[in-house]
Amino acid sequence: MKDEIRRIMQLVQDGKLSPEDAAELIDAFNSSDEETDSDTGQSPPPPPSDEAETSTDKDPFKNFIGYVEGIGKEVSESVNWQDVARQVRTGAQKGFDSLKEGIDKIKKDGKFNFDLFSAKEVRTIEMPLKLSAGQTLKIENPIGDIRITGGHDSGLIKAVAKVHGIDAEEAKRRAADYTIVVEESDHIVMIRQPDSSGIHVDLDISIPAGVHVDARTWSGDLLANEISGNCKVTANSGNIRVAAVNGAVEISSQSGSVFVENVTTPTLTLENKSGNVSLMKVAGNMNIRTASGDLTLAECSGKSLSVESVSGDVSVDLIEPVTGSTSIRTVNGSTTLAVPDGCDCRVTLSTLRGHVTCPLELEDVSTSEMHVSGRLGDGTGSLDVSAVNGSIMMNLRVHS
């Protein structure tokens, strides 16, 4: 068990467990191990040699530590670890097979399953939100979905809180004490959750026109719709959807899909570490960076477009001629680009490993299997597409 203790101490150093919680969990698993051995009078026999499972699969403690190592710090801070330890001790009475089955249920649909370890009480709070055009609504919601809808006459917030406790009585007491925190100043209205663990809150917020939005959730989906101000959204683990926004847009996602639709913006900045990204009918200057996942731009336009993709296919459909700066760079993945007639730019298409296809008629053209360059119109703007490993195809857009 020395290796398991070393790993759980590393979780303490990483800030995912407090020293007290770590000691509680180690003691719980030690107690369950001793109780299981005392029931049989001897150590459990080793697994048959023909079984493919590793020792980690057979040991709930190792399985449990492996899961905790994989969850984010913000999620771990919201777990009632004392109640987890109590469940571990209870599980020992049913044997290690039952305990392992419980541990396997910790991860449910990619998220932490609080229901396995604690009683739950649901409380719904609705309250008016005093907001006016030009103010910024800032939202911080560690665990739970956020939905923001603009264009309303007044502000309103609805919070559905799932509050967990060691037992039903504690869950009811904690739910009765729960309240959402709203802090107001001249320019910013802040919505956040109280400093308390074991709370999952879904927020549904209505705001008036002209209010700027700055929203963040660590674990949950985020939707911003009908926003007529600037919109900044951040999700560490969850999907993001931004629709019908008229203002500057900034999107940051660690893990999850991103969908942007019907947006008119002076600037759109998007960064996604893992997940597919789709932009539909977006007009404005765009700076997009993706690490892993496919990227699709459909019926989009902008004077300046910069795309950087590490791993995944890129498809770009532009509805306005290229006269400014368009740059698409990929490391691993194919690139397909469709442009309308009337472009005025220098064109450079090149790949280190792959093929370049460009049926458009270019002036001053230079072609090879992995490189095409030339000019459309007078060559005022620039269109540069490059890849390390992947093919490139540029076509004339077909009008629908």
Side-chain angles (χ1 to χ4, degrees):
M1 192 170 172
K2 289 182 180 179
D3 179 62
E4 287 75 16
I5 293 177
R6 178 189 61 77
R7 290 169 64 189
I8 208 166
M9 289 300 99
Q10 183 62 47
L11 293 172
V12 175
Q13 293 182 15
D14 294 341
K16 293 184 179 180
L17 289 175
S18 69
E20 295 78 12
D21 290 336
E24 186 82 12
L25 289 168
I26 291 172
D27 178 69
F29 276 99
N30 269 329
S31 299
S32 64
D33 196 1
E34 293 170 1
E35 187 166 343
T36 301
D37 291 347
S38 64
D39 289 341
T40 60
Q42 57 183 2
S43 299
S49 57
D50 60 345
E51 287 191 6
E53 294 92 348
T54 65
S55 59
T56 302
D57 297 325
K58 289 295 185 179
D59 189 334
F61 191 27
K62 291 182 180 179
N63 203 3
F64 176 81
I65 295 173
Y67 177 73
V68 179
E69 289 172 335
I71 65 175
K73 179 180 176 182
E74 293 83 4
V75 176
S76 67
E77 289 175 346
S78 298
V79 179
N80 189 334
W81 292 115
Q82 290 184 348
D83 195 40
V84 172
R86 180 179 64 81
Q87 293 287 339
V88 168
R89 291 188 176 93
T90 303
Q93 300 172 4
K94 304 175 183 179
F96 269 100
D97 288 341
S98 176
L99 178 58
K100 180 181 182 298
E101 181 181 353
I103 296 301
D104 289 340
K105 294 178 182 178
I106 291 175
K107 193 172 184 180
K108 181 180 181 181
D109 299 330
K111 299 180 180 180
F112 197 91
N113 182 11
F114 291 106
D115 298 339
L116 175 64
F117 298 122
S118 56
K120 178 182 70 177
E121 187 74 15
V122 178
R123 184 182 183 192
T124 301
I125 296 177
E126 290 191 23
M127 57 187 296
L129 199 57
K130 186 178 179 182
L131 285 167
S132 58
Q135 285 187 307
T136 297
L137 174 63
K138 189 170 184 178
I139 306 165
E140 293 185 355
N141 194 43
I143 301 178
D145 299 338
I146 301 175
R147 178 176 178 176
I148 310 160
T149 307
H152 294 269
D153 294 333
S154 59
L156 179 68
I157 179 171
K158 178 181 178 181
V160 179
K162 301 172 185 177
V163 184
H164 298 260
I166 295 176
D167 51 33
E169 182 178 349
E170 184 190 51
K172 289 182 179 180
R173 176 182 59 78
R174 296 187 70 218
D177 293 339
Y178 168 78
T179 183
I180 195 166
V181 180
V182 179
E183 300 170 350
E184 300 180 2
S185 66
D186 291 340
H187 303 291
I188 298 176
V189 176
M190 162 75 84
I191 296 174
R192 63 177 179 86
Q193 301 303 328
D195 296 329
S196 182
S197 64
I199 300 177
H200 179 292
V201 183
D202 293 330
L203 298 176
D204 195 342
I205 302 171
S206 303
I207 61 174
V211 173
H212 307 301
V213 170
D214 183 352
R216 178 174 182 177
T217 177
W218 284 263
S219 179
D221 297 336
L222 204 159
L223 168 65
N225 188 36
E226 299 287 347
I227 309 298
S228 56
N230 298 335
C231 182
K232 179 180 179 181
V233 291
T234 304
N236 282 23
S237 177
N239 300 323
I240 293 177
R241 183 184 180 93
V242 174
V245 173
N246 189 358
V249 177
E250 184 177 346
I251 300 172
S252 178
S253 172
Q254 294 291 322
S255 177
S257 299
V258 177
F259 186 78
V260 184
E261 182 181 23
N262 292 328
V263 168
T264 301
T265 175
T267 58
L268 181 146
T269 303
L270 191 156
E271 184 168 350
N272 191 36
K273 295 294 179 64
S274 177
N276 295 331
V277 175
S278 177
L279 282 74
M280 177 74 175
K281 296 182 179 178
V282 176
N285 297 328
M286 290 172 269
N287 190 337
I288 303 169
R289 299 175 62 187
T290 67
S292 177
D294 295 337
L295 170 64
T296 303
L297 279 71
E299 299 181 48
C300 293
S301 62
K303 190 75 173 178
S304 174
L305 171 63
S306 176
V307 171
E308 295 182 12
S309 173
V310 177
S311 178
D313 295 335
V314 175
S315 176
V316 177
D317 170 37
L318 300 179
I319 61 173
E320 292 184 0
V322 177
T323 58
S325 173
T326 296
S327 173
I328 303 171
R329 302 182 184 276
T330 66
V331 177
N332 289 293
S334 63
T335 300
T336 302
L337 173 65
V339 298
D341 196 12
C343 291
D344 183 3
C345 58
R346 295 290 308 179
V347 176
T348 303
L349 314 174
S350 62
T351 179
L352 294 180
R353 289 185 292 275
H355 302 278
V356 174
T357 304
C358 180
L360 278 72
E361 294 186 8
L362 303 177
E363 300 291 334
D364 303 328
V365 65
S366 172
T367 65
S368 67
E369 183 181 5
M370 295 182 292
H371 178 85
V372 172
S373 63
R375 173 169 53 86
L376 289 171
D378 295 331
T380 303
S382 64
L383 194 162
D384 186 357
V385 183
S386 62
V388 175
N389 184 21
S391 296
I392 297 171
M393 175 176 285
M394 178 176 169
N395 286 312
L396 188 65
R397 186 174 190 271
V398 178
H399 296 278
S400 56

